[in-house]
């Protein structure tokens, strides 16, 4: 009944040899995903730094848990790389066919005999999980959940043409992929790469709940500039951090590790502000620092 509990119990099967370093952000992601499937809202945007468990939670464990509630549930998952999309599909398939899962829920459903663990596999109740990439899905397929995990390739997102192609794919092609009764839940999970990446476009258009998890906490400003939009949070949820600079997952990413591996000179301020702080334009500026300007 509870996704976070499922994740805690399934972890040794999915990631053998690496104990779960459970953290409040894992519970927050699970809580939002569970609310999405309960249709408390129809769109969810999650912005989170790399290596914080987003693919395991959203693309691997969520599908396996969703079928315990509704084996007829239909899911389409995409990533900028078909290879990564198929990787997560295989991991979901391995979890479902594991001894741990089957010993508990083998009576819920069974997988079709002709299942393709990499691209598409189905339940005997006509539910399915499809792995694809922008531009890779043929016509005629619709999902009760349409999700994308890292829609942009980092070295292509600066290209207006490449970036717009992803936006058009999500807003035009995938908008028609409705599921049963013409309803579809939408999930976007990514690190920020550009002011007008898919996250920026989603924020501009609205209609989603936003779970934004910067690596270092930034105390909210009293008000946003008039030209800056924000998506609503889930009712009742707030980042538990209160102090400026508090870390998201200090057990895994310590202050020393962040300073050594992720900040200048190892990475630029622009990269760190976008991919780790989920704020693709640094507060002090990118190429031109705010403090340089003088009257």
């Amino acid at each position: 009944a509870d996704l976070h509990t499922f994740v805690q119990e399934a972890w040794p099967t999915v990631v053998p040899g690496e104990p779960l370093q459970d953290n409040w952000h894992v519970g927050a992601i699970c809580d939002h995903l569970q609310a999405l499937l309960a249709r408390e809202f129809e769109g969810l945007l999650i912005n989170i730094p790399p290596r914080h468990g987003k693919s395991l939670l959203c693309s691997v464990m969520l599908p396996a848990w969703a079928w315990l509630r509704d084996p007829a549930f239909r899911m389409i998952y995409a990533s900028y790389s078909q290879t990564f999309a198929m990787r997560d599909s295989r991991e979901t398939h391995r979890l479902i066919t594991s001894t741990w899962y089957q010993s508990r829920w083998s009576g819920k459903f069974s997988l079709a005999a002709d299942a393709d663990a990499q691209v598409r596999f189905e339940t005997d109740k006509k539910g399915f999980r499809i792995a694809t990439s922008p531009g890779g899905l043929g016509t005629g397929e619709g999902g009760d959940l349409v999700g994308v995990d890292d829609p942009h390739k980092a070295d292509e997102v600066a290209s207006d043409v490449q970036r717009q192609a992803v936006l058009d794919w999500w807003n035009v092609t995938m908008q028609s992929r409705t599921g049963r009764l013409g309803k579809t839940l939408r999930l976007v999970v990514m690190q920020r790469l550009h002011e007008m990446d898919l996250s920026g476009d989603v924020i501009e258009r609205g209609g989603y709940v936003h779970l934004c998890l910067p690596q270092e906490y930034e105390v909210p400003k009293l008000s946003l500039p008039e030209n800056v939009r924000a998506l609503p949070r889930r009712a009742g949820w707030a980042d538990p951090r209160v102090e400026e600079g508090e870390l998201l997952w200090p057990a895994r990413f310590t202050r020393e590790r962040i300073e050594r591996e992720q900040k200048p000179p190892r990475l630029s301020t622009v990269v760190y502000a976008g991919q780790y702080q989920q704020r693709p334009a640094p507060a002090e500026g990118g190429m031109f620092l705010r403090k340089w300007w003088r009257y």
Side-chain angles (χ1 to χ4, degrees), residues 28-58:
I29 293 173
C30 291
D31 186 47
H32 281 71
L33 293 173
Q34 186 164 337
L36 178 67
L37 263 61
R39 296 191 178 275
E40 292 183 17
F41 39 84
E42 294 186 350
L44 175 61
L45 169 64
I46 301 177
N47 291 138
I48 187 171
R51 311 305 302 166
H52 278 69
K54 65 179 177 58
S55 295
L56 282 174
L57 297 174
C58 300

Side-chain angles (χ1 to χ4, degrees), residues 37 39 66-67 70-75 127-128 144-145 180 185:
L37 263 61
R39 296 191 178 275
W67 275 344
D70 180 7
F73 199 61
R74 301 171 180 178
M75 295 165 278
F128 58 72
D144 300 317
L145 171 68
R180 292 171 295 178
L185 302 172

Side-chain angles (χ1 to χ4, degrees), residues 24-291:
W24 64 263
H25 84 278
V26 176
I29 293 173
C30 291
D31 186 47
H32 281 71
L33 293 173
Q34 186 164 337
L36 178 67
L37 263 61
R39 296 191 178 275
E40 292 183 17
F41 39 84
E42 294 186 350
L44 175 61
L45 169 64
I46 301 177
N47 291 138
I48 187 171
R51 311 305 302 166
H52 278 69
K54 65 179 177 58
S55 295
L56 282 174
L57 297 174
C58 300
S59 302
V60 175
M61 297 199 192
L62 179 65
W65 180 79
W67 275 344
L68 298 179
R69 299 159 57 96
D70 180 7
F73 199 61
R74 301 171 180 178
M75 295 165 278
I76 299 174
Y77 273 92
S79 175
Y80 78 84
S81 166
Q82 181 74 17
T83 300
F84 290 156
M86 292 191 299
R87 174 203 64 186
D88 293 338
S89 180
R90 288 194 302 270
E91 290 299 322
T92 299
H93 189 274
R94 288 193 186 106
L95 173 57
I96 291 173
T97 56
S98 69
T99 301
W100 176 84
Y101 192 99
Q102 289 298 311
S103 66
R104 289 159 174 77
W105 301 295
S106 60
K108 289 277 188 180
F109 64 90
S110 58
L111 296 180
D114 59 348
D116 179 354
Q118 294 196 96
V119 178
R120 175 189 179 122
F121 55 93
E122 302 181 12
T123 71
D124 57 349
K125 305 295 192 297
K126 300 300 183 182
F128 58 72
R129 187 200 189 286
I130 293 176
T132 187
S133 59
L137 186 64
T139 59
E141 297 288 5
D144 300 317
L145 171 68
V146 176
V148 61
D149 182 352
D150 283 338
H152 298 281
K153 192 174 181 181
D155 58 3
E156 293 179 351
V157 73
S159 163
D160 292 343
V161 174
Q162 298 281 4
R163 191 174 63 256
Q164 188 60 47
V166 172
L167 304 187
D168 291 343
W169 164 78
W170 184 255
N171 293 320
V172 180
T173 304
M174 299 310 287
Q175 287 299 314
S176 65
R177 305 299 185 179
T178 55
R180 292 171 295 178
L181 302 177
K183 297 179 180 179
T184 301
L185 302 172
R186 304 195 180 275
L187 172 64
V188 178
V189 189
M190 61 182 291
Q191 52 188 297
R192 296 300 306 272
L193 296 169
H194 190 278
E195 287 180 272
M196 282 310 299
D197 56 17
L198 183 55
S199 286
D201 188 69
V202 163
I203 292 170
E204 184 71 21
R205 292 171 181 268
Y208 285 64
V209 163
H210 193 190
L211 177 62
C212 186
L213 299 168
Q215 180 160 257
E216 297 181 75
Y217 184 66
E218 296 177 335
V219 176
K221 296 178 174 58
L222 293 178
S223 61
L224 291 171
E226 290 184 4
N227 64 332
V228 176
R229 297 191 181 186
L231 291 175
R233 291 180 172 180
R234 187 182 176 212
W237 188 87
D239 194 311
R241 297 173 289 179
V242 294
E243 304 244 343
E244 186 80 21
E246 274 190 76
L247 301 182
L248 177 60
W249 201 0
R252 189 178 182 97
F253 292 96
T254 63
R255 176 71 60 190
E256 293 74 21
R257 182 178 178 184
I258 292 170
E259 296 290 340
R260 182 178 68 251
E261 299 179 3
Q262 299 170 359
K263 287 192 172 182
R266 188 67 179 268
L267 297 176
S268 71
T269 56
V270 174
V271 169
Y272 186 79
Q275 296 181 339
Y276 292 89
Q277 290 301 100
Q278 315 314 313
R279 182 172 41 77
E284 71 277 11
M287 300 173 98
F288 299 95
L289 301 186
R290 184 171 293 171
K291 64 184 180 182

